[in-house]
Every structure is written in structure tokens, then in C-alpha cells.
Amino acid sequence: MSLKVNNLGFCYRPESWVFRNVSIEVPKGGRIGIYGNSGCGKTTLAKILASFISPKEGEVVVDGENQKREGFQPVQLIFQHPEKTMNPLWRMKDSLCESYVPEKSLLDAFGIRDEWMERYPIELSGGELQRFSIVRALHPETKYIIADEMTTMLDAITQASIWKGLLEIVKERNLGLIVISHEMAIIDKICDSCLNLEDYCHA
Amino acid sequence: MPLLQVNNLSVSFDQYGRGLERFVTTPIRSLSIEIGKGEILAVVGASGSGKSLLAHAIMGILPANAIVGGEIKFKGNLIDERSIKKYRGKQIAFIPQSVNYLDPSMKVKNQVRIGLPGIKSERIEKQEHLFEKFGLKKSDGDLYPFELSGGMMRRVLFTTSMISPDTELVIADEPTPGIHRSALDLVLNQLKTIADSGIGVMLITHDIISALKIADRVSVFKDGCTVDDIPASFFSADGESLENEYTRMLWKSLPEHSFMEAI
């Protein structure tokens, strides 16, 4: 059981590869860190893994099956900018419960308050919004989580408490985790192994 | 006389609830800071503690329903939404936080050239020089914002503010998130060079470790109040010399320190 990537390549323009020949395997319950200079394709890779976009070559295999384009995606992506992932015209409770209704205990683990449910995204801070996008990604059928610069916009205390909450659930459910970050200190503390995506650039 | 002085600043928003019901929220209650010539002040604190609002209040770009109290003085002169106009983009430069401030329909090289002085050929030369200085390729200038990565957009935003020869104060609102190590050092060195030439710098950031490399003093905000104002040298190893409990917690919860064990 693993999230496996074989010889993945992506380009926006023909033959101008962002990265090529990327092969990674994240076992169930494993934690891998990905870093590299800005512009080397970290977010693009994350979007391919979560099947928001299709690779130009190579394949993504989730627990032995080829990635499917429809239905629930067992690989869920948490974006860097939560304000860009919420419908601005929906109240938070509607964004949160769009795909499933989370249990009270999960909301408590991330300190989500009842009073925030009736608000619109613009009425919450970045840290508060990011808690919603994490809980939203923790659907019961989720098997792998990609955290793309999940806490760069947050202060150290909020950052530590959000990671603490997420890691407890990752451990409890034995989820696979990919951490994309520039902060090596975070990758060091959380991940079993890491890779530099630049090694696959301009191949 | 300090370059910039903010005393007891408060910012409230007058909002409408259901129907005609009105209510007032006060995200900033009492902020006070001071920046001298050539000094770098790092402003750190919780998300939502009013750091960006402070910058917006100084620049006079708060939304229309904002009510501002307290005083902001630039070189001893009180400034408000009207008088700031003569300083804005000239003596006081601002680097906004959100990458949404870039125009999505314009090539980035042209956005940078707008604010530069001189005739067209000088502006082109200056812009290309700035790009080179911040590790951006000449061809990156032909891209639109959506084609740039997060870290590249940050650096483009940063170049848009490096403008006037008579700048005396630079306010940088989170110029570094999503930037990799070597580009981060370019930005920090640039701010340091700016300060060494006598310009005051206010650096709003979450990245305390990076800020400490260049800052002289650190102001800590929480829930719209200044809770601490101390020399950068007080931040050391285990934070023993940090008297304020919140400041110590902020320091200890960094991933370089105790991280999750501090919570």
C-alpha cells in the first residue's frame, strides 16, 4: 500500500520541462519532505499527485490502482493560500461540510469554534481558514495528505499547534504525508526522508 | 527625533449586520512603535494581531469603514489619510503582503517599470538590473503573474518598491514567505543595505530567525496590542532573557527549537 509516482514529467510548453523522471514512493503511514528553489515545480507536482492536473508523462499509482479522474480522491492537497480555496460567497459551514460532515472531536482537535461556522472566509484570519481546509481534507476515505507550505503564512505558535493537531490524526489513521516546505527545520522534525526537486529539473 | 512614531494606534471597523443593525469591531486596540533613521524594526506576532493593518494605517490604505485613533508621526509631523499622499511611494515605500497586488493582466516587467524614474530606456535598464539583483532571469519579465511561482512573485513585488532616491522609510509586509534560502538572503541583504544607507525599515514577518539576522529591535504584537519591545539580542538560545511570556512562547515554538513540544 503506497502512493507511487513513476517517471513523472511535466511541462507547460512543449519540451520545456519543469521537471522530469520524478519517481517517489510514499508508503502508507510514511512521511516524505520535498524542498527546492521557488519555481522548481513543487506545487505543480503536488497538483498532479492530487489529480488537479495531468502529467505530460509518467503515472501516479495510488494503493496499486492507477489514479482515477473522478469520484473521491484519496490523495488530498492542502494549499498554501487557504483564502484562494474557499468559495467567498459560502459560509464556512457550507465549505466545510461540502464533501462530508466532520465529527465534533475533529473540529475540537483544530480549535475550530462554533461561532466561525456562520462567517464568510473574509471574516477569518489565515490561520483560522487553514484549520478549515485541513479538516476538509481529512475525509474518512483520505489516505494521503500533501501539505504544500501549509503554515508559512502563520505565526510560530499557530504553526506548531496546527502541525501537532494534524500529526496526531495522521498517526491515528496511519495516513501517508508529503510535506512541501522551504523550512528544513520543519522537514527535519516531521519527515522520515526528503528529496530536493531541483535534482529533477531541466532534465 | 524618531523617523516614524506610532502612539496608541487603534483601528476599528464600522460594519453592518443583518438589516440595518450596525456593530463595531476593533482589531487594533493599542499599538505603539518607533523607528529611527537606519534602524530595522522587526514586527512579529500572532496571525490576526494587526500587523498588516498597522502598515495599511500608516500608508493610508485602510478601507473606507475604518475608524483610526491615536497618532502616527513621520519625522515629527502628524500624518493622516490625506497628508500621507505626499509621502506615499516617495519618502515612504511599501511592499504589500499579498501577491494578489500584482496586476494579473500585465507582464511583470512592465509592472516594475511603472514606478521607476527616468525615460523609457533608463527604466528598462533599471528594471533589468533589479531583476538580476534578486535572482530573476531577464526572460521572467515577459511572464504574467500566474506563470510565476510564489517565491518569484514575492521577489517581483519586492523590486516594485525599490524605487525613489529620496526614500526614507521602507515598510515591508511579509516579504519572505515561500522564498527559498538563497533568494531569502538576497532580500535580507537588500534590506540591510537599505538600512545602512540611513533608511528606516519596518519588517513585518513571521520568520523570526531570519528577521533577527538583520533587525536592531523587535516589537511583538498580540490581539491588537504591543506586548513587547526589546533589542534583537535578547532572543538567544533558550529564550531565558525573554521576560514576556508570549514572546518566550513564540520563540520556543519555532520549528528550530521545541516546535510542537512547546504547545
Side-chain angles (χ1 to χ4, degrees):
Chain A
M1 300 290 260
S2 67
L3 170 61
K4 206 169 166 192
V5 170
N6 296 324
N7 292 314
L8 211 62
F10 187 82
C11 57
Y12 286 98
R13 300 192 181 100
E15 293 308 309
S16 168
W17 295 97
V18 178
F19 52 75
R20 214 173 176 185
N21 298 325
V22 177
S23 297
I24 315 171
E25 185 167 9
V26 187
K28 204 163 181 279
R31 299 170 184 180
I32 285 185
I34 296 177
Y35 62 99
N37 283 351
S38 56
C40 79
K42 299 186 294 298
T43 300
T44 304
L45 175 64
K47 284 182 179 165
I48 293 172
L49 293 178
S51 79
F52 282 94
I53 50 178
S54 305
K56 293 286 185 240
E57 50 175 47
E59 54 175 6
V60 180
V61 183
V62 185
D63 292 345
E65 281 176 44
N66 269 330
Q67 193 176 38
K68 51 186 195 307
R69 302 290 299 166
E70 49 210 36
F72 184 79
Q73 296 295 334
V75 183
Q76 286 287 313
L77 174 57
I78 299 166
F79 286 88
Q80 179 178 0
H81 302 286
E83 68 275 21
K84 290 188 176 176
T85 66
M86 305 277 171
N87 186 331
L89 301 178
W90 284 12
R91 290 182 192 275
M92 292 315 299
K93 61 173 184 208
D94 299 323
S95 285
L96 181 68
C97 302
E98 189 183 5
S99 77
Y100 80 109
V101 180
E103 279 178 31
K104 181 88 176 64
S105 61
L106 192 56
L107 299 181
D108 290 343
F110 287 94
I112 293 176
R113 295 193 211 138
D114 276 346
E115 66 205 68
W116 297 347
M117 294 296 183
E118 296 295 324
R119 295 198 197 165
Y120 291 99
I122 196 172
E123 296 170 326
L124 293 171
S125 76
E128 290 160 0
L129 278 180
Q130 195 62 294
R131 294 162 203 257
F132 279 93
S133 44
I134 294 171
V135 170
R136 203 168 55 163
L138 289 170
H139 189 282
E141 287 172 44
T142 301
K143 299 287 185 291
Y144 300 91
I145 291 274
I146 308 171
D148 184 4
E149 297 277 12
M150 183 176 74
T151 52
T152 27
M153 300 299 286
L154 309 175
D155 66 86
I157 298 176
T158 312
Q159 167 169 276
S161 71
I162 283 186
W163 272 116
K164 192 175 178 187
L166 180 61
L167 288 178
E168 269 164 24
I169 287 156
V170 162
K171 209 168 162 189
E172 188 185 302
R173 298 191 190 169
N174 199 24
L175 304 178
L177 180 68
I178 296 179
V179 179
I180 297 177
S181 181
H182 285 113
E183 281 209 59
M184 289 313 287
I186 288 192
I187 291 183
D188 283 347
K189 289 237 160 122
I190 293 173
C191 300
D192 321 316
S193 63
C194 64
L195 75 98
N196 182 352
L197 195 56
E198 279 167 67
D199 298 344
Y200 302 90
C201 289
H202 319 292
Chain B
M1 181 176 48
L3 192 61
L4 178 80
Q5 214 178 355
V6 176
N7 294 324
N8 267 319
L9 184 81
S10 67
V11 176
S12 309
F13 291 103
D14 190 1
Q15 287 170 307
Y16 280 97
R18 269 178 207 287
L20 291 175
E21 182 197 342
R22 291 173 80 168
F23 60 96
V24 173
T25 50
T26 307
I28 292 194
R29 289 184 290 151
S30 171
L31 293 183
S32 301
I33 56 154
E34 227 180 77
I35 302 174
K37 273 179 150 240
E39 186 176 47
I40 302 180
L41 175 75
V43 172
V44 303
S47 323
S49 64
K51 302 188 295 293
S52 291
L53 281 177
L54 166 67
H56 289 212
I58 297 169
M59 299 309 290
I61 52 171
L62 289 171
N65 63 337
I67 309 155
V68 180
E71 51 177 29
I72 302 171
K73 282 183 184 168
F74 180 61
K75 295 200 287 185
N77 304 316
L78 271 179
I79 53 173
D80 57 27
E81 236 171 277
R82 291 177 64 188
S83 56
I84 179 69
K85 285 186 184 156
K86 65 174 184 258
Y87 301 119
R88 194 157 61 195
K90 300 178 189 93
Q91 277 95 336
I92 305 181
F94 178 52
I95 306 165
Q97 170 178 21
S98 177
V99 290
N100 287 344
Y101 284 80
L102 290 171
D103 184 337
S105 61
M106 197 174 179
K107 287 182 179 177
V108 292
K109 64 177 184 190
N110 295 329
Q111 306 196 39
V112 174
R113 287 174 194 168
I114 290 175
L116 298 170
I119 55 166
K120 199 176 171 197
S121 60
E122 288 170 352
R123 292 211 301 265
I124 293 174
E125 195 187 328
K126 186 91 201 288
Q127 173 261 325
E128 284 171 357
H129 173 70
L130 281 170
F131 267 40
E132 202 186 312
K133 201 162 161 183
F134 289 104
L136 293 162
K137 289 200 295 285
K138 194 180 165 188
S139 59
D140 293 339
D142 285 315
L143 300 174
Y144 290 92
F146 82 94
E147 296 176 295
L148 298 179
S149 77
M152 289 156 90
M153 279 197 277
R154 288 276 163 218
R155 285 178 277 157
V156 169
L157 264 183
F158 200 77
T159 57
T160 61
S161 65
M162 296 295 113
I163 32 169
S164 176
D166 34 274
T167 301
E168 295 181 51
L169 176 69
V170 172
I171 298 175
D173 190 359
E174 290 274 8
T176 56
I179 293 190
H180 54 92
R181 189 56 57 190
S182 56
L184 175 67
D185 288 338
L186 285 174
V187 170
L188 292 175
N189 285 338
Q190 183 61 23
L191 285 173
K192 182 76 185 149
T193 315
I194 289 171
D196 288 343
S197 71
I199 294 173
V201 176
M202 177 165 135
L203 172 62
I204 300 174
T205 186
H206 286 307
D207 189 351
I208 306 178
I209 303 256
S210 300
L212 287 176
K213 288 184 194 159
I214 56 167
D216 301 298
R217 277 185 313 117
V218 180
S219 249
V220 184
F221 291 3
K222 190 191 175 213
D223 299 334
C225 296
T226 312
V227 294
D228 214 353
D229 187 342
I230 43 177
S233 57
F234 280 31
F235 289 85
S236 61
D238 52 356
E240 251 174 25
S241 38
L242 299 170
E243 281 174 20
N244 186 286
E245 197 183 330
Y246 182 74
T247 311
R248 198 165 54 233
M249 183 79 172
L250 205 56
W251 180 241
K252 280 189 166 172
S253 60
L254 287 173
E256 287 82 354
H257 301 144
S258 312
F259 195 38
M260 293 178 287
E261 281 140 42
I263 300 297

